[in-house]
Amino acid sequence: MPQDRDIAIDVRDAVKRYGTFTALKRISLSIRDNEFFTLLGPSGCGKTTLLRMIAGFEEVTEGTIYLYGQEIDRLPPHKRPVNTVFQNYALFPHMDVLENVGFGLEMLGKSRAEARARAGDVLEMVQLSQFASRMPYQLSGGQQQRVALARALAPRPRVLLLDEPLSALDLKLRKAMQVELKHLQRETGITFIFVTHDQEEALTMSDRIAVMSEGELQQLGEAREIYERPRNVFVADFIGDTNLMEVTVDRIAGGRAQCHLGGGHKLTCDAVEGIGAGARVHMSLRPERLFLSARPVEEESLSGTVREMIYIGTDITTVVDLADGPQFTVRSSNSTRGNARVFEPGAKVAVNMEPGAARLLVD
Amino acid sequence: MAKSHDVRRYPGFMAITILCLVILYAPLLVVAVYSFNASPSITIWEGVSLRWYVDVFTGPESAKFREAAWNSFIIAITAATTATAIATLAATAVLRSGRFRLRTFSLGLISLPLMVPEIVTAVATLIFFNAIAIERGLLTILLAHIAFCIPFAYMPISARMQGIEASYEQAAMDLYATKRQAFTRILMPLMMPGIVSGFLLAFIISLDDFIITNFVKGAGVETLPTAIFGAVKQGIKPNIMAISTLLLLVSIVLVALSWLIGRRDQARGR
Ligand SMILES: Nc1ncnc2c1ncn2[C@@H]1O[C@H](COP(=O)(O)OP(=O)(O)OP(=O)(O)O)[C@@H](O)[C@H]1O
Ligand SMILES: [Mg+2]
């Protein structure tokens, strides 16, 4: 049983069914105290559902949710010390900014004066002091977003839930808000549970990420772990760009797996528990960990022909057809210091990989 | 493309529009104009005068009209207030209960009376009052008015409420408001324009109801419409036109008020 003071939210075997449709299929995860935790997954995978179950807007069909060891899944929303930043902000249209931000404190029984004072402080924290007496419709989207944030932070919740709070903002503002959110989380020490379907956003902001798909938890770990050691095809494919290909494992020796892809190309990579010799599995190769050369530089270089070269500013992406084998995408940084040799379409090249670039996937 | 489908370009559209407007407004205009006639005849124009308005307030029938108007006013205020309160609660229950099948059903149930011929409602109400042996008088009029005002009050209120996303109340409850606080602090203020419209509509409907009132009123109890009807039976005098014009004015003021409230609200971008 979770009694841990270091666990903010503990979801145990949570199932959510809408009629015959199962939106969450027995999810268990622990969110640590003072953590920036992200729920990441494609549209419809159940992120909002899970968040709403923690906030109290959806009942759990089965399972339990603990908040610092206390069972909360039967409590109504107003009895949970958890606040939400809604995706559409849901600012009260008939109250000015200060009243909006002070609302939670007032409902907690604080005097009007006290609520206003604290609301003022929080508005200062999000740099909106000068907008205190504006009505919500007089604010820009980004300002509304920050008011929603201030409103949810003002009552000092133990956990803050954020459902895609940045999705309505333009790219520049979004980047700025990512930094600000991260900063606020550190400053307040409140546990943040952040929902997004943007993997880049998840990687930049999170201490840990839970990758979800179709109501199931696919992988939980730190950003680096998820990116570099994806557990399965879904995670490898969803997070970042990757070359996914089917390989056959020939031999396992000394913690290394020797594999071959079609066309007689051979590759060796770290063995993964649960994958034995003879298995036909997927392999993920991150494009930025591959590099091209005119001649093979190592024994296992793969030779092929450049099909396409795409210039994308910071990077150059090259698509290579292996002889009788699969297609590879290779990305190199567009800098003279890097290994950026540009190969034009039709050129014969060798594809080489850094150690650890290739990874076998369980399913 | 869009232009060729413009209804204004159909042949005869203008003529039909004008005809409709004339049929709708000509009688009202005639009544309003002739209420200022100096002549005791209702058809011969003899010059402008306020004599019939003076007659309404001081003439031989003024006591009767004053009492009837007072009854109408009290009934309309009470019926509209009660009906609006009931309709607000009904809309909250129907739209926020979350059970969808029940919702469609109750919506039908509430709006059905709008489609029942009024005479049927009148007869049914009368039979009902007889069956429970309640004495006819102001109280029966009031009860009947409350009942038939509810769907009228309900329409604008539920329309308004449908436009209010559930996330506002959820945000309130997330911020430690109880269900009741979320209702009084958030939902009610947001619904106010709908509630005011519903109230005004119910008020007008009650104020000018004739058929049902005529059935359920006791002997000697009159509202303005039944009093006017009674007076007209003895022959139309121009003071009737003056009263009608005054009633028309009240309706126009209320409708304008309701429109203004709606517009101010829109301007705020809600
Ligand atoms: N009230 C409901 N009734 C029935 N099905 C629902 C209900 N709410 C959500 N679902 C279904 O549950 C699944 C998960 O929905 P959810 O809103 O949690 O997705 P999400 O991961 O937040 O997606 P998005 O990124 O698009 O917001 C979806 O398939 C959705 O259709
Ligand atoms: Mg969602």
Side-chain angles (χ1 to χ4, degrees):
Chain A
M1 277 292 103
Q3 255 92 47
D4 210 328
R5 297 197 145 272
D6 298 334
I7 302 296
I9 294 278
D10 203 11
V11 179
R12 284 270 151 257
D13 301 317
V15 176
K16 178 68 194 179
R17 274 191 284 271
Y18 293 110
T20 54
F21 175 74
T22 309
L24 288 181
K25 302 167 187 162
R26 209 160 291 283
I27 291 230
S28 292
L29 49 86
S30 300
I31 295 159
R32 295 177 192 145
D33 182 36
N34 196 5
E35 171 169 60
F36 199 116
F37 189 90
T38 297
L39 294 171
L40 174 65
S43 185
C45 72
K47 308 177 296 283
T48 298
T49 303
L50 182 56
L51 209 66
R52 288 171 61 82
M53 278 170 30
I54 296 172
F57 301 127
E58 300 285 354
E59 286 178 12
V60 288
T61 313
E62 281 171 41
T64 321
I65 299 174
Y66 298 90
L67 179 108
Y68 291 97
Q70 187 207 352
E71 207 174 312
I72 58 162
D73 45 88
R74 303 283 157 211
L75 294 179
H78 69 269
K79 295 212 170 128
R80 303 187 188 197
V82 165
N83 287 155
T84 308
V85 178
F86 288 81
Q87 180 165 6
N88 61 356
Y89 313 146
L91 298 178
F92 306 132
H94 58 301
M95 297 182 186
D96 68 20
V97 167
L98 197 67
E99 286 170 320
N100 261 286
V101 177
F103 185 83
L105 294 156
E106 242 184 87
M107 291 299 115
L108 282 174
K110 300 274 187 290
S111 74
R112 228 192 163 82
E114 204 176 333
R116 288 183 150 254
R118 163 81 180 142
D121 290 349
V122 182
L123 278 180
E124 197 158 318
M125 198 160 76
V126 296
Q127 292 135 41
L128 276 183
S129 299
Q130 70 271 39
F131 296 107
S133 54
R134 290 241 190 129
M135 301 301 281
Y137 69 92
Q138 296 170 317
L139 300 176
S140 74
Q143 290 160 348
Q144 289 181 21
Q145 207 279 328
R146 274 186 289 169
V147 175
L149 191 62
R151 185 176 71 174
L153 282 172
R156 296 193 178 89
R158 304 202 67 179
V159 174
L160 187 73
L161 309 176
L162 305 103
D163 192 356
E164 309 208 23
L166 309 181
S167 61
L169 307 180
D170 66 57
L171 190 65
K172 215 162 180 141
L173 193 54
R174 197 169 167 154
K175 298 264 183 222
M177 278 309 294
Q178 288 176 1
V179 175
E180 194 166 328
L181 270 182
K182 183 87 193 161
H183 172 76
L184 271 174
Q185 194 267 326
R186 293 236 178 83
E187 195 177 351
T188 56
I190 293 172
T191 306
F192 277 33
I193 305 181
F194 183 87
V195 165
T196 182
H197 58 249
D198 179 340
Q199 44 98 11
E200 196 181 314
E201 190 165 277
L203 291 175
T204 8
M205 300 177 74
S206 322
D207 292 322
R208 287 194 310 153
I209 300 171
V211 184
M212 291 172 64
S213 150
E214 294 183 7
E216 281 176 297
L217 184 62
Q218 300 295 332
Q219 189 169 358
L220 197 165
E222 288 170 17
R224 206 185 176 103
E225 190 180 333
I226 297 233
Y227 186 80
E228 290 181 7
R229 292 195 296 282
R231 228 179 43 117
N232 58 29
V233 175
F234 177 83
V235 177
D237 198 29
F238 189 70
I239 314 280
D241 296 325
T242 196
N243 293 292
L244 270 182
M245 48 204 58
E246 267 193 273
V247 300
T248 307
V249 181
D250 297 326
R251 213 159 76 83
I252 300 215
R256 303 280 288 166
Q258 293 174 4
C259 316
H260 74 267
L261 15 158
H265 301 285
K266 287 194 184 315
L267 264 178
T268 305
C269 63
D270 286 339
V272 167
E273 202 176 323
I275 298 176
R280 188 144 178 82
V281 291
H282 279 93
M283 176 184 270
S284 158
L285 295 125
R286 295 288 183 196
E288 72 279 7
R289 307 199 57 182
L290 305 175
F291 58 96
L292 298 175
S293 56
R295 271 164 225 307
V297 295
E298 49 193 275
E299 192 188 335
E300 276 193 344
S301 294
L302 308 165
S303 51
T305 317
V306 174
R307 165 186 281 264
E308 228 181 318
M309 196 270 290
I310 305 156
Y311 177 86
I312 45 175
T314 53
D315 293 338
I316 290 169
T317 299
T318 315
V319 181
V320 178
D321 282 328
L322 293 196
D324 301 323
Q327 203 171 60
F328 270 77
T329 302
V330 178
R331 181 175 306 158
S332 45
S333 123
N334 185 13
S335 99
T336 43
R337 272 191 300 158
N339 40 38
R341 265 209 60 187
V342 177
F343 293 92
E344 297 298 332
K348 297 273 179 221
V349 290
V351 179
N352 316 288
M353 55 197 70
E354 299 172 6
R359 175 140 182 102
L360 291 177
L361 306 170
V362 177
D363 50 40
Chain B
M1 269 303 283
K3 260 197 179 146
S4 64
H5 289 289
D6 192 338
V7 73
R8 275 173 295 184
R9 291 176 144 229
Y10 289 162
F13 176 77
M14 205 55 183
I16 291 175
T17 308
I18 290 175
L19 185 68
C20 288
L21 288 176
V22 167
I23 292 174
L24 276 173
Y25 287 100
L28 293 179
L29 207 64
V30 168
V31 166
V33 169
Y34 271 80
S35 69
F36 294 102
N37 193 354
S39 156
S41 157
I42 56 166
T43 46
I44 303 157
W45 181 258
E46 273 184 13
V48 179
S49 142
L50 284 178
R51 117 174 224 212
W52 299 113
Y53 286 90
V54 175
D55 185 78
V56 166
F57 289 100
T58 59
E61 290 175 306
S62 65
K64 194 176 86 188
F65 284 138
R66 196 171 306 130
E67 193 190 326
W70 181 245
N71 284 345
S72 271
F73 182 73
I74 293 293
I75 287 170
I77 286 274
T78 320
T81 309
T82 317
T84 306
I86 293 173
T88 305
L89 296 178
T92 311
V94 169
L95 295 176
R96 292 299 197 254
S97 68
R99 262 167 297 172
F100 194 72
R101 233 171 268 169
L102 192 73
R103 178 186 303 185
T104 330
F105 176 70
S106 7
L107 185 65
L109 204 63
I110 292 174
S111 45
L112 193 63
L114 294 176
M115 283 160 260
V116 173
E118 202 181 341
I119 186 73
V120 176
T121 313
V123 171
T125 316
L126 178 63
I127 293 172
F128 174 72
F129 284 143
N130 277 342
I132 63 170
I134 188 170
E135 197 186 328
R136 279 187 282 154
L138 272 184
L139 183 65
T140 48
I141 301 177
L142 181 62
L143 291 176
H145 278 222
I146 291 173
F148 75 72
C149 279
I150 290 173
F152 288 97
Y154 182 82
M155 288 301 139
I157 293 174
S158 83
R160 172 77 197 175
M161 195 175 220
Q162 268 162 358
I164 302 174
E165 286 168 57
S167 61
Y168 292 125
E169 292 140 88
Q170 286 178 359
M173 287 192 270
D174 188 63
L175 292 161
Y176 313 107
T178 60
K179 263 212 158 88
R180 172 185 296 232
Q181 283 168 322
F183 180 74
T184 56
R185 295 287 305 266
I186 307 298
L187 196 55
M188 275 276 276
L190 292 181
M191 265 168 43
M192 219 15 115
I195 293 176
V196 172
S197 300
F199 175 84
L200 292 177
L201 193 57
F203 185 87
I204 294 175
I205 295 288
S206 163
L207 195 66
D208 94 345
D209 178 75
F210 173 73
I211 300 179
I212 294 175
T213 314
N214 203 36
F215 270 67
V216 302
K217 78 187 179 68
V221 182
E222 303 287 350
T223 64
L224 207 45
T226 64
I228 292 174
F229 184 71
V232 166
K233 274 200 294 197
Q234 273 125 48
I236 304 176
K237 284 202 300 162
N239 64 343
I240 299 300
M241 300 206 205
I243 290 195
S244 304
T245 308
L246 288 173
L247 258 179
L248 185 63
L249 204 66
V250 170
S251 295
I252 289 174
V253 166
L254 292 183
V255 169
L257 207 63
S258 139
W259 181 77
L260 279 177
I261 289 168
R263 204 184 59 148
R264 186 198 64 180
D265 204 56
Q266 257 179 5
R268 287 220 202 157
R270 283 188 200 161

